[in-house]
Every structure is written in structure tokens, then in C-alpha cells.
Amino acid sequence: MEHPNPQATFTLHFREYHLPKRPTVVVCIDGFDPEYLQSGLDRGLLPTFASFLKNGFHATGKSCMPSFTNPNNVSIITGAPPSIHGIAGNFFLDRSTGKETMICDDSLLRGSTLLEQMSQRGVRIAAVTAKDKLRKILAHGLKDDAVCFSAEKAAECTLAENGITDVEQWVGRPAPSQYSADLSLYVLDAGIKLLQEDKSDFLYLTLSDYVQHKHGPGSPEADDFMNTIDERLAKLAAMAVVGVTGDHGMSRKSNDAGEPNVLFLQDVLNAKFGKNATRVICPITDPFVRHHGALGSFVRVYLRNQTLLEPALAFCQALTETEVALSGEDAAKKYAMPLDREGDIVVISTSSTVIGSCRSEHDLSSVMDFPLRSHGGLSEKAVPVILSRAVNDVQAARSRNWNNYDVFDLVLNWSN
């Protein structure tokens, strides 16, 4: 690889990064709870991961809060927490309009991304995502020669919009269902072909957590999914330096009968303080409702009258399903979230519970086929941080507290 720009490093958010000297891939496994990794390793099902841990580097790091897809993918590609880049959920309430809005583009992104910075310096970038909701954020500032598309919309790719066309023919199979393991495998297969055909120098591949929302570690479905990921990582690692992390973990949120443990917080607040006194927003909400039914472990509460702050906060803190309830100001400070986009109150549930708005607004039939698993809270922060090759300073790497958004630093600055 030769870069037209002689500058070998760049700085973003006060951290210096080296441009890649060899093909490099970062994979974000959506819902990559450390238990999936350990379960597969213990039973010898993941030989590629085992080789990474033996010959490369591995730590259990932390994801950002809330532990949802959008905030953490954006943190990974910016190397910074949400307080800096501004994306704090999949779904938010715009205080200026009072409208609930899905985040599907980069209009709320603050600052640059590592992908943009490398692209502007002559590195050929490819960003492939399972879910199209991330694509426009990943594409932020990329040069025209970059490839950026989603497996979800593979059939609709154009050169002008995505830097690639005829993706289905190129990959060798049709775009997969949104609700399938193949949505993630499609991303990895595209990454393998991009490397095989020497179309990219640096690839960011981010997957879907459909399987993890349905199947726990050690289940046949999870084993098969992790094994197929492992096989594809072997192909990637034969051609490139590979970094792997997750956007969040995953926890069981059902009782022994398989029924979801749900706190419908809006209904409870309505009964206590009256209808329309509060407004509960579930930032896990996205187009993939069959994954989780818009039920996660983190919600924001907005108050019609600020005099309710103390009593409403005390009420939320006293609920048995609550692990943490804080004012928006305190939550933003504690969890590095953007204050100007925070609710009046943040409520985080216990590890075995999810929080919804009103019962009438959630279709539980979409999550009754398997015991509900979900994320968003403190119990889903742990994620692996892995490098396929040895690090250049083992002692320093082992003593560091790693975040998932350090993975670009790991592959660009720490790899031998």
C-alpha cells in the first residue's frame, strides 16, 4: 500500500493515529457478549478466535452508554464517546419540535470520523453494514472512491450512492432477510471479496444481533452463528490485520416461563403523576422490531413541568426493576453522553429486565418466539476487544482499560 499523501499520521479527538501500512479490517459483532466468545472457546468451536487470543491480543473492554447499536458504532468509528460525537441512541425526542425521530443519517453527527480522515488521506475505505440505518453515518465525508453499502439494501446499490453496483451478483446470492443470521454473514463475505479483489485498504464491517436477541450462548443456533463468523475471520486474517469488538453485550430478559420481564414505565408514571405529565422515549427503537420489540434496558423520561423532577426521579429510583435512575444532567456526566440531547431523567433497568413505554405501544408477539434477550443497560457494557496479531507493547496493552472505541487505535497504532 502506498499513500499519495506523505503524512503518515493524523489526529482526531486529541488522539494520533497511524495510517495503515497493510490491509486492515475492523469487525463489529453486534451483540458480542463475552459469554458467546468464552462458550465457544471452552468447547473448541472457535479456532480462529483461539488463534487470535494465543498469537494476538484480547481484553474484555467496555461499550458506551447507552449500550445500543448507533451510539457504539459511531463511537467506534470516531474513537470517542457519545458526549463528543453527539449520537446517543437509535431514536430520540427532538425537543425543538416535540417529534420522535429515528436516526438514519449523519445530520446529528458532530465532528469527523476515522474513516473520513483516512479516506481524505488516500486510504481506500470500505464500510459494509448489516443494517441500512447505519450506512449514511458510516459514509460521512468519504471520498467518491469509497465503498459503503448495507446487506439489507444490497439489491439497491448504485455507483453514485454506494461506490458499488450489482452487489447480489458480485457476492453470489440475493440480499438476505433482515431477520436472519445471513444478514451478518453477507457483510463478512463482501469484506472477503473486497480484499481478494484488492478494492480496499481499510474495511469496517458491522453485523446484526438478530441471532443474539433470540439465542443465548451455548445454544445450537448461537454456536452455528459464531462458528461461521469464526470461519470467515480466518479468511480475513489471511489477507489483513483484523480487529474485532462489539457494540454491546446481551442479557436474558425473561422469566423461567419464557415471558419478557417488562416495566412499562409510561403506564406506571401516568398512574402516579397523571397522563401527559411525562413522556418516555425508548432509544433502542429502530426498524428491526422483531429483534427486541423496542424493549431495552435504558430509557429517557421527559417532563412537562420541571417541578416534577425530584418526585419523579425518586419514584423511578424506588421501582424494583430499576438499577439506576439519574437526572439527565447527572447521567450525561457519569456516562459521557451529550447533555443537550439528554432527557430530564434517565432510567436503567436491572440485568434481567427491560423497560417499555406504554404496554399498548409494544407488540410483544414479535418477541415471544424465544425468551427475550436485549441490551442497553450497564449489564450489557462488557465486550471483547481483539487483535489478530501481537501488540508492540504487551505490558502497556495488558494494563490499559480498553473501550470498544479503542479498536481503531489498536489496529492502527498497536499492531506489530
Side-chain angles (χ1 to χ4, degrees):
M1 291 170 54
E2 294 184 4
H3 304 296
N5 190 323
Q7 182 179 349
T9 63
F10 65 93
T11 301
L12 183 64
H13 303 311
F14 309 106
R15 182 184 289 175
E16 185 176 74
Y17 295 87
H18 294 277
L19 293 177
K21 297 178 180 179
R22 57 184 71 90
T24 302
V25 182
V26 170
V27 179
C28 175
I29 300 177
D30 200 341
F32 192 22
D33 194 282
E35 289 188 17
Y36 288 98
L37 176 64
Q38 194 60 55
S39 176
L41 291 172
D42 288 345
R43 291 172 295 132
L45 301 178
L46 305 175
T48 305
F49 277 112
S51 72
F52 289 176
L53 270 60
K54 179 181 179 180
N55 303 313
F57 173 76
H58 165 247
T60 298
K62 294 182 179 180
S63 66
C64 299
M65 286 296 288
S67 50
F68 294 138
T69 295
N70 274 13
N72 279 280
N73 270 272
V74 180
S75 286
I76 290 169
I77 64 168
T78 59
S83 57
I84 292 177
H85 61 67
I87 305 297
N90 306 336
F91 189 80
F92 78 107
L93 177 69
D94 187 335
R95 286 183 184 267
S96 64
T97 64
K99 293 183 179 180
E100 300 176 20
T101 306
M102 196 84 65
I103 298 176
C104 296
D105 59 34
D106 60 347
S107 59
L108 294 177
L109 178 68
R110 291 170 173 160
S112 184
T113 74
L114 296 164
L115 298 175
E116 178 186 21
Q117 291 299 311
M118 286 189 283
S119 177
Q120 297 300 323
R121 287 165 173 79
V123 179
R124 296 175 301 165
I125 297 295
V128 187
T129 171
K131 306 170 183 178
D132 200 64
K133 68 177 184 178
L134 276 172
R135 179 183 58 82
K136 290 184 179 179
I137 300 177
L138 300 183
H140 177 82
L142 297 184
K143 291 176 66 176
D144 292 341
D145 62 350
V147 173
C148 187
F149 70 94
S150 71
E152 180 189 354
K153 302 289 186 180
E156 302 172 22
C157 291
T158 66
L159 285 174
E161 180 74 13
N162 309 100
I164 192 170
T165 190
D166 298 324
V167 169
E168 291 180 312
Q169 181 178 355
W170 178 67
V171 173
R173 62 185 188 277
S177 165
Q178 296 179 30
Y179 303 108
S180 70
D182 194 40
L183 193 72
S184 293
L185 304 181
Y186 206 90
V187 174
L188 296 171
D189 289 341
I192 291 166
K193 285 190 70 68
L194 287 164
L195 285 177
Q196 289 173 337
E197 298 177 7
D198 190 28
K199 293 183 181 296
S200 300
D201 304 322
F202 191 102
L203 292 81
Y204 181 61
L205 310 176
T206 179
L207 313 186
S208 163
D209 58 0
Y210 175 73
V211 171
Q212 293 92 329
H213 269 292
K214 301 293 183 181
H215 308 287
S219 66
E221 295 86 352
D223 284 349
D224 181 66
F225 182 59
M226 290 301 300
N227 182 255
T228 53
I229 289 176
D230 190 86
E231 291 173 350
R232 284 157 170 82
L233 288 177
K235 294 180 180 180
L236 292 169
M239 298 180 282
V241 177
V242 177
V244 185
T245 191
D247 55 351
H248 53 75
M250 193 74 70
S251 300
R252 179 176 169 129
K253 307 291 187 179
S254 297
N255 59 25
D256 291 341
E259 302 165 333
N261 291 323
V262 187
L263 166 64
F264 291 103
L265 185 57
Q266 187 69 76
D267 289 335
V268 174
L269 289 172
N270 286 351
K272 178 66 176 180
F273 298 103
K275 192 173 182 180
N276 299 323
T278 64
R279 191 169 178 181
V280 174
I281 297 294
C282 303
I284 194 174
T285 304
D286 69 7
F288 291 71
V289 292
R290 280 174 51 193
H291 283 45
H292 44 63
L295 296 168
S297 299
F298 179 109
V299 298
R300 296 184 165 104
V301 181
Y302 296 81
L303 306 175
R304 184 177 62 181
N305 190 326
Q306 291 301 308
T307 61
L308 283 179
L309 179 59
E310 288 190 12
L313 180 56
F315 179 76
C316 290
Q317 290 170 337
L319 296 170
T320 59
E321 299 90 345
T322 297
E323 179 171 350
V324 174
L326 296 169
S327 70
E329 182 176 358
D330 288 343
K333 291 178 181 177
K334 186 169 184 176
Y335 301 126
M337 300 182 296
L339 176 58
D340 61 324
R341 293 175 179 171
E342 198 46 75
D344 296 310
I345 296 172
V346 163
V347 182
I348 303 170
S349 68
T350 61
S351 62
S352 61
T353 309
V354 286
I355 309 175
S357 179
C358 297
R359 180 182 292 271
S360 61
E361 295 179 3
H362 296 268
D363 180 10
L364 295 186
S365 66
S366 66
V367 296
M368 293 297 288
D369 49 348
F370 295 96
L372 177 66
R373 299 174 58 78
S374 197
H375 54 94
L378 299 172
S379 49
E380 292 82 44
K381 285 192 67 177
V383 289
V385 180
I386 300 170
L387 180 65
S388 63
R389 302 191 182 192
V391 294
N392 50 35
D393 189 336
V394 175
Q395 184 175 355
R398 287 177 176 171
S399 63
R400 176 170 172 172
N401 294 320
W402 291 89
N403 299 295
N404 59 356
Y405 61 78
D406 296 323
V407 69
F408 275 58
D409 181 27
L410 183 63
V411 298
L412 293 174
N413 296 339
W414 291 72
S415 172
N416 274 336

PDB file of all heavy atoms in Angstrom, residues 86-99:
ATOM      1  N   GLY A  86     -22.036  13.046  19.652  1.00  0.00           N
ATOM      2  CA  GLY A  86     -23.414  13.530  19.687  1.00  0.00           C
ATOM      3  C   GLY A  86     -24.507  12.526  19.414  1.00  0.00           C
ATOM      4  O   GLY A  86     -25.687  12.861  19.535  1.00  0.00           O
ATOM      5  N   ILE A  87     -24.187  11.288  19.040  1.00  0.00           N
ATOM      6  CA  ILE A  87     -25.214  10.282  18.741  1.00  0.00           C
ATOM      7  C   ILE A  87     -25.426   9.430  19.986  1.00  0.00           C
ATOM      8  O   ILE A  87     -24.561   8.658  20.379  1.00  0.00           O
ATOM      9  CB  ILE A  87     -24.794   9.390  17.557  1.00  0.00           C
ATOM     10  CG1 ILE A  87     -24.453  10.246  16.332  1.00  0.00           C
ATOM     11  CG2 ILE A  87     -25.900   8.389  17.240  1.00  0.00           C
ATOM     12  CD1 ILE A  87     -25.604  11.051  15.780  1.00  0.00           C
ATOM     13  N   ALA A  88     -26.590   9.572  20.607  1.00  0.00           N
ATOM     14  CA  ALA A  88     -26.825   8.946  21.908  1.00  0.00           C
ATOM     15  C   ALA A  88     -27.981   7.962  21.897  1.00  0.00           C
ATOM     16  O   ALA A  88     -28.541   7.634  22.939  1.00  0.00           O
ATOM     17  CB  ALA A  88     -27.073  10.028  22.962  1.00  0.00           C
ATOM     18  N   GLY A  89     -28.367   7.467  20.718  1.00  0.00           N
ATOM     19  CA  GLY A  89     -29.433   6.487  20.645  1.00  0.00           C
ATOM     20  C   GLY A  89     -29.766   6.168  19.206  1.00  0.00           C
ATOM     21  O   GLY A  89     -29.240   6.789  18.272  1.00  0.00           O
ATOM     22  N   ASN A  90     -30.644   5.173  19.017  1.00  0.00           N
ATOM     23  CA  ASN A  90     -31.169   4.885  17.686  1.00  0.00           C
ATOM     24  C   ASN A  90     -32.366   5.788  17.384  1.00  0.00           C
ATOM     25  O   ASN A  90     -32.746   5.969  16.226  1.00  0.00           O
ATOM     26  CB  ASN A  90     -31.639   3.428  17.593  1.00  0.00           C
ATOM     27  CG  ASN A  90     -30.576   2.425  18.002  1.00  0.00           C
ATOM     28  OD1 ASN A  90     -29.394   2.712  17.951  1.00  0.00           O
ATOM     29  ND2 ASN A  90     -31.013   1.238  18.398  1.00  0.00           N
ATOM     30  N   PHE A  91     -32.952   6.336  18.442  1.00  0.00           N
ATOM     31  CA  PHE A  91     -34.245   7.016  18.362  1.00  0.00           C
ATOM     32  C   PHE A  91     -34.241   8.092  19.443  1.00  0.00           C
ATOM     33  O   PHE A  91     -33.754   7.865  20.549  1.00  0.00           O
ATOM     34  CB  PHE A  91     -35.335   5.967  18.639  1.00  0.00           C
ATOM     35  CG  PHE A  91     -36.749   6.420  18.400  1.00  0.00           C
ATOM     36  CD1 PHE A  91     -37.268   6.454  17.110  1.00  0.00           C
ATOM     37  CD2 PHE A  91     -37.568   6.767  19.453  1.00  0.00           C
ATOM     38  CE1 PHE A  91     -38.585   6.831  16.897  1.00  0.00           C
ATOM     39  CE2 PHE A  91     -38.881   7.152  19.245  1.00  0.00           C
ATOM     40  CZ  PHE A  91     -39.390   7.179  17.953  1.00  0.00           C
ATOM     41  N   PHE A  92     -34.737   9.284  19.122  1.00  0.00           N
ATOM     42  CA  PHE A  92     -34.669  10.354  20.120  1.00  0.00           C
ATOM     43  C   PHE A  92     -35.849  11.306  19.986  1.00  0.00           C
ATOM     44  O   PHE A  92     -36.556  11.320  18.974  1.00  0.00           O
ATOM     45  CB  PHE A  92     -33.353  11.131  19.980  1.00  0.00           C
ATOM     46  CG  PHE A  92     -33.326  12.116  18.836  1.00  0.00           C
ATOM     47  CD1 PHE A  92     -33.403  13.477  19.080  1.00  0.00           C
ATOM     48  CD2 PHE A  92     -33.226  11.685  17.522  1.00  0.00           C
ATOM     49  CE1 PHE A  92     -33.384  14.391  18.045  1.00  0.00           C
ATOM     50  CE2 PHE A  92     -33.200  12.581  16.474  1.00  0.00           C
ATOM     51  CZ  PHE A  92     -33.278  13.938  16.729  1.00  0.00           C
ATOM     52  N   LEU A  93     -36.036  12.114  21.024  1.00  0.00           N
ATOM     53  CA  LEU A  93     -37.056  13.158  21.016  1.00  0.00           C
ATOM     54  C   LEU A  93     -36.376  14.482  20.705  1.00  0.00           C
ATOM     55  O   LEU A  93     -35.465  14.908  21.420  1.00  0.00           O
ATOM     56  CB  LEU A  93     -37.746  13.243  22.377  1.00  0.00           C
ATOM     57  CG  LEU A  93     -38.797  14.352  22.505  1.00  0.00           C
ATOM     58  CD1 LEU A  93     -40.011  14.049  21.636  1.00  0.00           C
ATOM     59  CD2 LEU A  93     -39.225  14.528  23.961  1.00  0.00           C
ATOM     60  N   ASP A  94     -36.805  15.112  19.636  1.00  0.00           N
ATOM     61  CA  ASP A  94     -36.296  16.434  19.277  1.00  0.00           C
ATOM     62  C   ASP A  94     -37.071  17.461  20.103  1.00  0.00           C
ATOM     63  O   ASP A  94     -38.251  17.706  19.877  1.00  0.00           O
ATOM     64  CB  ASP A  94     -36.495  16.672  17.778  1.00  0.00           C
ATOM     65  CG  ASP A  94     -35.844  17.965  17.300  1.00  0.00           C
ATOM     66  OD1 ASP A  94     -35.657  18.881  18.128  1.00  0.00           O
ATOM     67  OD2 ASP A  94     -35.542  18.073  16.100  1.00  0.00           O
ATOM     68  N   ARG A  95     -36.405  18.042  21.090  1.00  0.00           N
ATOM     69  CA  ARG A  95     -37.097  18.984  21.985  1.00  0.00           C
ATOM     70  C   ARG A  95     -37.627  20.201  21.235  1.00  0.00           C
ATOM     71  O   ARG A  95     -38.634  20.783  21.625  1.00  0.00           O
ATOM     72  CB  ARG A  95     -36.145  19.438  23.089  1.00  0.00           C
ATOM     73  CG  ARG A  95     -35.854  18.398  24.165  1.00  0.00           C
ATOM     74  CD  ARG A  95     -34.966  19.007  25.229  1.00  0.00           C
ATOM     75  NE  ARG A  95     -34.548  18.084  26.258  1.00  0.00           N
ATOM     76  CZ  ARG A  95     -35.169  17.891  27.415  1.00  0.00           C
ATOM     77  NH1 ARG A  95     -36.288  18.557  27.674  1.00  0.00           N
ATOM     78  NH2 ARG A  95     -34.688  17.048  28.320  1.00  0.00           N
ATOM     79  N   SER A  96     -36.940  20.600  20.160  1.00  0.00           N
ATOM     80  CA  SER A  96     -37.352  21.807  19.448  1.00  0.00           C
ATOM     81  C   SER A  96     -38.669  21.621  18.703  1.00  0.00           C
ATOM     82  O   SER A  96     -39.415  22.575  18.495  1.00  0.00           O
ATOM     83  CB  SER A  96     -36.262  22.229  18.458  1.00  0.00           C
ATOM     84  OG  SER A  96     -36.075  21.245  17.454  1.00  0.00           O
ATOM     85  N   THR A  97     -38.964  20.371  18.299  1.00  0.00           N
ATOM     86  CA  THR A  97     -40.192  20.110  17.542  1.00  0.00           C
ATOM     87  C   THR A  97     -41.183  19.241  18.307  1.00  0.00           C
ATOM     88  O   THR A  97     -42.359  19.177  17.944  1.00  0.00           O
ATOM     89  CB  THR A  97     -39.867  19.407  16.216  1.00  0.00           C
ATOM     90  OG1 THR A  97     -39.287  18.117  16.498  1.00  0.00           O
ATOM     91  CG2 THR A  97     -38.890  20.227  15.388  1.00  0.00           C
ATOM     92  N   GLY A  98     -40.704  18.564  19.345  1.00  0.00           N
ATOM     93  CA  GLY A  98     -41.555  17.634  20.076  1.00  0.00           C
ATOM     94  C   GLY A  98     -41.782  16.329  19.344  1.00  0.00           C
ATOM     95  O   GLY A  98     -42.587  15.501  19.762  1.00  0.00           O
ATOM     96  N   LYS A  99     -41.044  16.113  18.248  1.00  0.00           N
ATOM     97  CA  LYS A  99     -41.230  14.908  17.443  1.00  0.00           C
ATOM     98  C   LYS A  99     -40.225  13.826  17.815  1.00  0.00           C
ATOM     99  O   LYS A  99     -39.071  14.107  18.106  1.00  0.00           O
ATOM    100  CB  LYS A  99     -41.082  15.248  15.952  1.00  0.00           C
ATOM    101  CG  LYS A  99     -42.181  16.136  15.396  1.00  0.00           C
ATOM    102  CD  LYS A  99     -41.995  16.369  13.900  1.00  0.00           C
ATOM    103  CE  LYS A  99     -43.111  17.233  13.333  1.00  0.00           C
ATOM    104  NZ  LYS A  99     -42.933  17.474  11.872  1.00  0.00           N
TER     105      LYS A  99
END
